[in-house]
Amino acid sequence: MKQTINIIGSGFSSLAASCYLAKAGCNVTIFEKNATIGGRARQLKKDGFVFDIGPTWYWMPDVFERFFSDFNKKPSEYYALEKLNPAYSVYYGKDDFITIEDTLEKITKAFEKEESGSSKKLNKFIKDAKDNYEVAIKDLVYNPGISPLELITPTTIKKINQFFSTIKRDVRKEFKNDRLIKILEFPVLFLGAKPSDTPSFYSFMNYADFGLGTFHPKKGMYQVILAIESLAKELGVNIKTESPIDKIIVENGEARGIISNGKTYLSDIVLSGADYHHTETLLDKPYRQYSEKYWSKKTFAPSSLLFYVGFNKKLKHVNHHTLFFDVDFETHAKAIYDTPKWPENPLFYASFPSKTDSSSAPEGKEAGIFLIPLAPGIEDTQELRDQYFEKIISRFENLTSQHVKNDIIFKESFCLNDFIKDYNSYKGNAYGMANTLSQTAFLRPKLKSKKVKNLFFTGQLTVPGPGVPPSLISGKLAANLITKHHS
Ligand SMILES: Cc1cc2nc3c(=O)[nH]c(=O)nc-3n(C[C@H](O)[C@H](O)[C@H](O)COP(=O)(O)OP(=O)(O)OC[C@H]3O[C@@H](n4cnc5c(N)ncnc54)[C@H](O)[C@@H]3O)c2cc1C
């Protein structure tokens, strides 16, 4: 008889898992609390402007290809992908920026201009990073995080020393120019941790950046959500929106189904892609695996203050992705990880998708997304949001030498309280749990409940970690465990 599976949430991980489970012959239903699917990767449409609410960087295209190829499909059957050139630019001061182009050859030239002798060092650094990428992405991250032995292979044994040094140390050993250091330390921020807490092995993120490049799906990242939704529906997955789960039903230590909007939906298995901490609150206390103390001791990836802004004109001196690293990173990082508070002078990131994609803004106008990384769990008020918008938009005007404040048609914000309200996120985190050495692989919250039979987890708080590619992988890992468990 067909297994019935109820999935909580419709983020990348849940959608991916639903495809694998439907392909394996299960009867799959997704229950999403919000009115639209996609979780943190939803879309905002306003006055002819279209914004990706969450992810904007499409990195590691091979992971997306691998996902679709598991269903004999290609990403190109669902969305058009463009390699961005330039990939991004980084501001350090007024009219002072470095542009990162689309090939390693061009990037090494830009490095050499900044620091003599750095191109040779960069080629060596990226060669090693590529080697790590092969091991990590092709091999390690597709393990379910059950045992430490998964990490021990003939190749990883040779790289063991890379787990005892950090990205920060490695980069600073080779490069002396502060501007180049900031660029090389930037990719690991996607893992949710500081470069000083990230093992050298994670330099594979630098290969993702410089070696593979930055892509943009035409019409935005939400097209990838729509692509997987379409695949899931082709495979027979049933998707219910506006269906918040209030309880996971457990009988005799076994998950039996869920309750949504007062109705009971029985199933053989429950899989949750909602935030891990929240999912456990849907269980009676004896069935929860991790205590409040456990969660409070974990290093969470940052939250964010985001603004989605419609500009009445085209902006100058910015690219599709533009980073503003004109202030001290260490001070901002301390306000996220050490003594959580609003940073006095924040670094920020801005995306202007309408620079390369005309579908994201009406003609002659610009869509802008601004993001300030923040500590989870801090205060969030409208006054603070307004104060920080003023801070960054004034800096933006000064750094890029243009006036934009009077050209704002609208601005919408999204911050900690919205992460909690919309996604039931623990302390309003944006990117889940950081991937530090002590929170990697088998040391992360488990895909399979140790206390409730037939209850499984997926998503950025479990293995392998935060980011869209890891969430797709997480969906596959959870689905594999379920099908293995029941075969
Ligand atoms: C601002 C921001 C920028 C980012 N930028 C990038 C980027 O550029 N590149 C990149 O690769 N990654 C990026 N990420 C990370 C990436 O978006 C996430 O890692 C990924 O989308 C997480 O997917 P998920 O399935 O784990 O969780 P989610 O997307 O959070 O999905 C969980 C779902 O569960 C639902 N849910 C919660 N509680 C319930 C309930 N009780 N009942 C029913 N449903 C429930 C939620 O509504 C949500 O839809 C970014 C994230 C954010 C927030």
Side-chain angles (χ1 to χ4, degrees):
M1 209 180 70
K2 266 188 165 189
Q3 297 277 342
T4 304
I5 305 190
N6 286 334
I7 301 185
I8 309 175
S10 66
F12 272 110
S13 62
S14 296
L15 285 171
S18 78
C19 294
Y20 288 104
L21 290 166
K23 189 183 166 205
C26 304
N27 200 341
V28 185
T29 307
I30 286 181
F31 293 80
E32 167 56 52
K33 75 182 269 292
N34 292 321
T36 52
I37 62 159
R40 282 163 165 89
R42 284 176 307 154
Q43 193 181 50
L44 169 71
K45 284 186 173 172
K46 191 167 172 158
D47 300 346
F49 291 83
V50 184
F51 304 90
D52 281 311
I53 293 183
T56 48
W57 299 76
Y58 187 106
W59 273 14
M60 307 183 178
D62 50 323
V63 174
F64 295 82
E65 272 158 32
R66 188 161 164 180
F67 169 76
F68 283 103
S69 76
D70 285 342
F71 304 91
N72 294 320
K73 303 275 185 191
K74 290 184 193 133
S76 59
E77 289 173 54
Y78 296 93
Y79 53 90
L81 206 55
E82 184 195 348
K83 189 171 190 187
L84 292 179
N85 188 28
Y88 56 94
S89 51
V90 186
Y91 268 89
Y92 300 97
K94 189 171 167 56
D95 305 321
D96 177 16
F97 57 88
I98 294 184
T99 298
I100 299 298
E101 293 189 79
D102 62 341
T103 65
L104 184 57
E105 203 187 333
K106 294 179 200 164
I107 299 168
T108 44
K109 277 190 188 143
F111 265 54
E112 193 62 32
K113 261 196 216 157
E114 287 290 320
E115 183 180 327
S116 164
S118 66
S119 57
K120 209 170 150 202
K121 288 178 184 169
L122 183 65
N123 277 321
K124 162 88 175 64
F125 186 77
I126 297 298
K127 188 176 165 288
D128 294 345
K130 181 178 183 207
D131 214 43
N132 288 353
Y133 190 88
E134 307 279 321
V135 178
I137 304 301
K138 300 229 166 91
D139 195 1
L140 289 186
V141 293
Y142 284 90
N143 282 311
I146 294 171
S147 146
L149 297 177
E150 292 167 7
L151 299 180
I152 301 167
T153 70
T155 338
T156 52
I157 286 286
K158 283 189 222 142
K159 293 181 180 286
I160 196 81
N161 58 330
Q162 292 196 29
F163 288 90
F164 298 100
S165 183
T166 67
I167 289 284
K168 181 174 174 173
R169 210 178 298 155
D170 284 12
V171 166
R172 282 157 202 258
K173 203 168 73 194
E174 298 297 340
F175 302 89
K176 299 296 164 227
N177 178 304
D178 192 47
R179 295 147 68 93
L180 301 183
I181 288 173
K182 278 181 172 160
I183 295 177
L184 288 167
E185 288 183 349
F186 147 69
V188 298
L189 300 182
F190 280 107
L191 303 170
K194 286 189 288 186
S196 55
D197 289 340
T198 308
S200 310
F201 181 71
Y202 285 89
S203 69
F204 61 76
M205 291 298 287
N206 293 95
Y207 176 68
D209 180 1
F210 287 0
L212 296 172
T214 300
F215 294 77
H216 175 70
K218 198 159 171 38
K219 296 193 191 164
M221 286 292 277
Y222 196 62
Q223 296 310 306
V224 188
I225 287 288
L226 295 180
I228 306 178
E229 178 197 29
S230 153
L231 174 63
K233 286 189 170 164
E234 280 171 51
L235 293 162
V237 175
N238 181 18
I239 302 179
K240 287 176 184 288
T241 51
E242 295 181 283
S243 301
I245 305 307
D246 304 315
K247 184 129 192 97
I248 297 172
I249 305 165
V250 181
E251 281 171 16
N252 301 325
E254 228 175 283
R256 291 285 187 195
I258 46 157
I259 299 177
S260 174
N261 292 328
K263 263 179 90 176
T264 298
Y265 297 86
L266 296 178
S267 61
D268 301 303
I269 286 152
V270 174
L271 167 63
S272 179
D275 278 32
Y276 210 118
H277 172 271
H278 166 70
T279 303
E280 291 232 306
T281 66
L282 303 174
L283 294 162
D284 290 335
K285 269 205 173 135
Y287 294 125
R288 299 178 192 169
Q289 308 162 83
Y290 305 105
S291 65
E292 288 299 325
K293 195 168 159 206
Y294 168 91
W295 292 111
S296 70
K297 287 198 164 158
K298 292 289 152 194
T299 304
F300 268 78
S303 184
S304 300
L305 168 58
L306 289 133
F307 295 100
Y308 310 97
V309 187
F311 292 100
N312 204 12
K313 64 174 185 187
K314 293 304 257 183
L315 305 195
K316 291 180 286 181
H317 315 309
V318 288
N319 286 308
H320 185 126
H321 296 294
T322 308
L323 300 161
F324 293 87
F325 287 177
D326 54 310
V327 297
D328 183 43
F329 171 73
E330 296 290 333
T331 318
H332 187 156
K334 270 189 198 137
I336 297 176
Y337 298 100
D338 302 341
T339 33
K341 61 176 183 186
W342 283 76
E344 215 163 293
N345 284 314
L347 305 169
F348 65 98
Y349 153 65
S351 172
F352 303 96
S354 45
K355 280 281 164 217
T356 60
D357 188 340
S358 58
S359 68
S360 54
E363 212 185 324
K365 301 187 166 59
E366 205 88 88
I369 301 167
F370 294 82
L371 183 156
I372 305 175
L374 291 178
I378 58 176
E379 190 188 15
D380 167 19
T381 63
Q382 191 57 47
E383 293 72 46
L384 279 162
R385 294 184 189 196
D386 291 344
Q387 188 190 328
Y388 274 76
F389 185 73
E390 179 50 36
K391 250 184 212 245
I392 59 166
I393 208 73
S394 297
R395 246 170 68 208
F396 177 83
E397 286 192 321
N398 176 46
L399 292 166
T400 62
S401 293
Q402 63 192 317
H403 295 292
V404 299
K405 284 185 196 172
N406 292 337
D407 297 289
I408 294 173
I409 310 169
F410 64 83
K411 81 170 197 301
E412 300 262 329
S413 65
F414 199 94
C415 197
L416 275 89
N417 292 343
D418 302 299
F419 281 104
I420 296 169
K421 180 170 73 63
D422 285 5
Y423 312 126
N424 288 317
S425 141
Y426 180 73
K427 291 190 176 178
N429 80 79
Y431 320 100
M433 224 169 87
N435 235 329
T436 58
L437 187 56
S438 61
Q439 295 183 171
T440 288
F442 68 99
L443 297 168
R444 292 180 77 76
K446 298 284 182 230
L447 289 166
K448 181 175 181 297
S449 170
K450 291 176 277 187
K451 291 207 173 167
V452 180
K453 209 175 150 204
N454 297 342
L455 174 62
F456 295 81
F457 299 81
T458 184
Q460 60 178 1
L461 278 107
T462 172
V463 278
V468 174
S471 296
L472 292 179
I473 295 169
S474 186
K476 178 174 182 166
L477 294 174
N480 281 351
L481 270 191
I482 291 171
T483 44
K484 205 167 108 196
H485 186 72
H486 285 274
S487 62

